[in-house]
């Protein structure tokens, strides 16, 4: 009995004295009654939560908070409650797992296993060499081939990728932006040679280049010709491929880069408006193409915020398309694919990632997604294994088959909290969208750089909150295990994959009609200088067996290749530590090192290979810059030789090599070799990013002096770097006193 009383007492979180209020039974309690009782329970502490988006979330919502909100009904504008009237009660969302690695043969076998096990659609991940428009035999991509996606160099690769998978019966999503023209051309020709006419090809191409310039960076050409490519693809698919979605407007990579949900929502909708305006300017009628536009959002751990975000996105897109003159309600209907967050996954205590993915998947479903990818538990470390991929896929199958979630349309519709939060998100996002429009549209905003800077500031602020323990990550900054068992990970033999791809490229070139191929490439160059549709010309080049690199180069000959220089934000991370003794210890250490060296310690933050994800590199640059280091932010896409030359020319003390795309075993040892060959083996090399612990010994043997995996506390990392530079840091216990 005593145990029962203890369980139902104050320590359990139950109201300690709610049963002693006889007046509650006699009259309906008011919000004031609740406020008084709640304040008594928490001794007057304010329970309001202020989100990173600047939204004040109250602990209680009532009918008063939704009195002016009419969310409508599912299937009817503004579609807040769902794009379809029946939603999952009529048909569940599509299980569309994103995958691709190694060779086309390996990826094809993986797809076929997954389809047999219950997956309903394909989503293709391409390697970084392919994204950046390089064939596998190009010298700049030796560490990238087959590592973070499948290598596709020609129509022959594309045909193997879909061998035994009928393209007239399978919906295929392809995440491609930079080399979108050759990839879509290869897909069209592969379908053609499978006997599938254009009109029956079903799926989505991402084709979202503005997001690339903002956060992901797998662009090839400058913004203006890149926007022309988007319009040409919309025009071609609208005319010839009625079942195919010509663009997937992506907020996913914004959130992965550190954007708040408001920023992700606002910039994604603003990007969509920009693409629609570009298509209209090219002569297309809005109702001719708008129904084939789709969206792609990230789903993170802020459960109700993510649900509200998807609902607000539908509301805002309806508003935007109405403003652009759309008449057909289908043109105003936002349909979206979602993917659970990659950045929320952790290397530490990785089985917690199964829980995170499940929570995020539920948020996507309750928010009304049309299709979903669930991440595998090991994706913070490496590509998923068959074991982890099965758990990720089955997460969705369990939600569809066992939970009853699919039985009711928009089950949270009418929730005081969800409806109020949806409206607050929509209002805050609309403020940013209107700023974008006032300043000339999203292309102008991206060129000015303020959306990227806004996202990087949010990213730095989040990193500081995590490192300070203000944002809890279970198993990382709280409840951390003393010892962890290693997790088996997938390792791709990059050298073997590249050798096989190079050999296939040679066979394709040897078998083709060279004159016909070169004529098609010349026509593509001419079209790039003029106004002919680039996708139509690329399809002809693909039929003639031009490679991806050749098609990309033909356009690069006219448009040029685009490059940017990182400009890390300052004052955000350091500002969060203005009163922290640990920060003072570090700044004292930097000052002591500066006195010894006669100048500030200097670090090159290097991004080698074709990986454009620069969130980690920018965070390191921002943090060490705030700390007092002189930081040299290296340009993206360097070769190891170029990074070594920049390190020597800048006379740095340490190079921080950032790796997120599994190229570390090739690129980092090459960097160290070039430094040693130049007589600068004294420059310390550290590595950070997505690096499996089983690779640590290999990297240390190669000369890496410190390794910082996912979840590393930047304060701890800075202490280790100062120690490498000869400064003896006092014990951590002293800093806490």
């Amino acid at each position: 009995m005593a145990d029962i009383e203890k369980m139902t007492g104050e320590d359990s979180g139950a109201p300690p004295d709610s049963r002693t209020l006889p007046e509650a039974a006699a009259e309906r309690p008011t919000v004031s009654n609740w406020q008084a009782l709640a304040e008594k329970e928490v001794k007057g502490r304010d329970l309001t939560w202020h989100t990173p988006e600047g939204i004040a979330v109250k602990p209680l919502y009532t009918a008063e908070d939704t009195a002016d909100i009419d969310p409508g009904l599912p299937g009817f504008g503004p579609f807040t409650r769902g794009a379809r009237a029946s939603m999952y009660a009529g048909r569940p969302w599509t299980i569309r797992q994103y995958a691709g690695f190694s060779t086309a043969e390996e990826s094809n076998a993986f797809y076929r296993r997954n389809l047999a096990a219950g997956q309903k659609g394909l989503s293709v991940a391409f390697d970084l060499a392919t994204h950046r428009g390089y064939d596998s035999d190009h010298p700049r991509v030796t560490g990238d081939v087959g590592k973070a996606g499948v290598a596709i160099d020609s129509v022959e690769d594309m045909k193997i990728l879909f061998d035994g998978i009928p393209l007239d019966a399978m919906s295929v999503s392809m995440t491609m932006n930079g080399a979108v023209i050759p990839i879509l051309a290869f897909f069209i020709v592969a379908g053609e040679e499978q006997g599938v006419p254009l009109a029956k090809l079903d799926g989505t191409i991402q084709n979202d280049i503005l997001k690339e310039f903002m956060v992901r960076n797998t662009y090839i050409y400058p913004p203006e010709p890149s926007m022309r490519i988007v319009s040409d693809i919309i025009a071609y698919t609208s005319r010839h491929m009625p079942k195919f979605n010509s663009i997937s407007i992506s907020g996913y990579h914004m959130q992965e880069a550190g954007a708040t949900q408001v920023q992700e929502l606002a910039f994604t909708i603003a990007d969509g408006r920009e693409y629609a305006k570009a298509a209209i300017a090219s002569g297309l009628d809005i109702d001719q193409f708008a129904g084939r536009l789709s969206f792609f959002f990230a789903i993170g751990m802020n459960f109700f915020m993510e649900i509200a975000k998807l609902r607000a996105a539908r509301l805002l897109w309806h508003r935007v398309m109405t403003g652009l003159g759309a008449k057909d309600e289908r043109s105003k209907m936002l349909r979206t694919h979602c993917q659970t967050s990659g950045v929320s996954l952790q290397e530490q205590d990785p089985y917690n990632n199964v829980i995170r993915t499940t929570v995020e998947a539920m948020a996507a479903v309750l928010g009304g997604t049309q299709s979903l990818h669930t991440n595998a538990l090991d994706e913070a470390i490496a590509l998923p294994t068959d074991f982890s991929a099965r758990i990720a896929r089955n997460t969705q199958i369990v939600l569809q088959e066992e939970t009853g979630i699919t039985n009711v349309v928009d089950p949270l519709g009418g929730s005081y909290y969800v409806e109020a939060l949806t409206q607050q998100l929509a209002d805050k996002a609309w403020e940013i969208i209107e700023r974008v429009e006032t300043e000339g549209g999203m292309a102008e905003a991206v060129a000015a750089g303020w959306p990227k800077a806004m996202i990087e500031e949010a990213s730095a602020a989040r990193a500081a909150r995590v490192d300070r323990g203000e944002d809890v990550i279970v198993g990382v900054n709280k409840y951390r295990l003393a010892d962890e068992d290693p997790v088996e990970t997938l390792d791709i033999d990059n050298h073997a994959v590249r050798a096989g791809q190079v050999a296939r490229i040679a066979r394709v070139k040897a078998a083709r009609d060279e004159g016909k191929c070169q004529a098609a490439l010349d026509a593509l160059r001419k079209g790039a200088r003029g106004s002919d549709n680039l996708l139509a010309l690329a399809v002809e080049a693909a039929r003639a067996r031009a490679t991806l690199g050749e098609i990309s180069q033909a356009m690069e000959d006219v448009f040029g290749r685009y490059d940017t220089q990182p400009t890390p934000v300052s004052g955000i991370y350091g500002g969060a530590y203005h009163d922290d003794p640990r920060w003072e210890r570090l700044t004292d250490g930097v000052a002591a090192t500066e006195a010894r060296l006669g100048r500030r310690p200097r670090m090159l933050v290097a991004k080698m290979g074709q990986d454009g994800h620069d969130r980690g590199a920018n965070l390191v640059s921002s943090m060490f810059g705030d700390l007092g280091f002189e930081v040299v932010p290296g340009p993206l896409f360097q070769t190891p030789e170029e990074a070594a030359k920049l390190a020597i020319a800048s006379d740095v003390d340490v190079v921080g090599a950032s790796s997120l795309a599994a190229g570390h075993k090739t690129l980092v040892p090459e960097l160290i070799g070039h430094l040693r060959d130049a007589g600068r083996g004294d420059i310390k090399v550290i590595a950070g990013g997505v690096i499996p612990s089983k690779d640590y010994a290999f990297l240390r043997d190669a000369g890496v002096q410190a390794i910082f995996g996912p979840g590393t506390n930047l304060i701890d990392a800075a202490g280790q770097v100062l120690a490498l530079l000869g400064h003896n840091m006092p014990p951590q216990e002293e800093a806490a006193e």
Side-chain angles (χ1 to χ4, degrees), residues 448-472:
W450 65 264
K452 182 177 180 67
M454 185 182 287
I455 290 170
E456 289 187 4
E457 288 176 1
S459 175
R462 161 71 171 168
R465 292 195 304 272
V466 171
D467 287 352
R468 287 172 61 87
E470 295 165 1
D471 287 3
V472 172

Side-chain angles (χ1 to χ4, degrees), residues 581-609:
R582 294 174 296 171
W583 187 260
E584 294 177 6
R585 290 172 62 246
L586 290 172
T587 55
D588 289 345
V590 172
T593 303
E594 179 179 357
R596 182 168 49 79
L597 296 175
R599 58 167 173 76
R600 288 191 293 160
R602 194 173 294 139
M603 171 188 284
L604 166 65
V605 178
K607 283 290 295 181
M608 297 179 292

Side-chain angles (χ1 to χ4, degrees), residues 248-265:
S248 174
I249 303 143
S250 173
Y252 183 87
H253 303 95
M254 298 180 200
Q255 188 177 138
E256 292 292 282
T260 66
Q261 277 88 342
V262 164
Q263 291 166 355
E264 178 194 7
L265 174 59

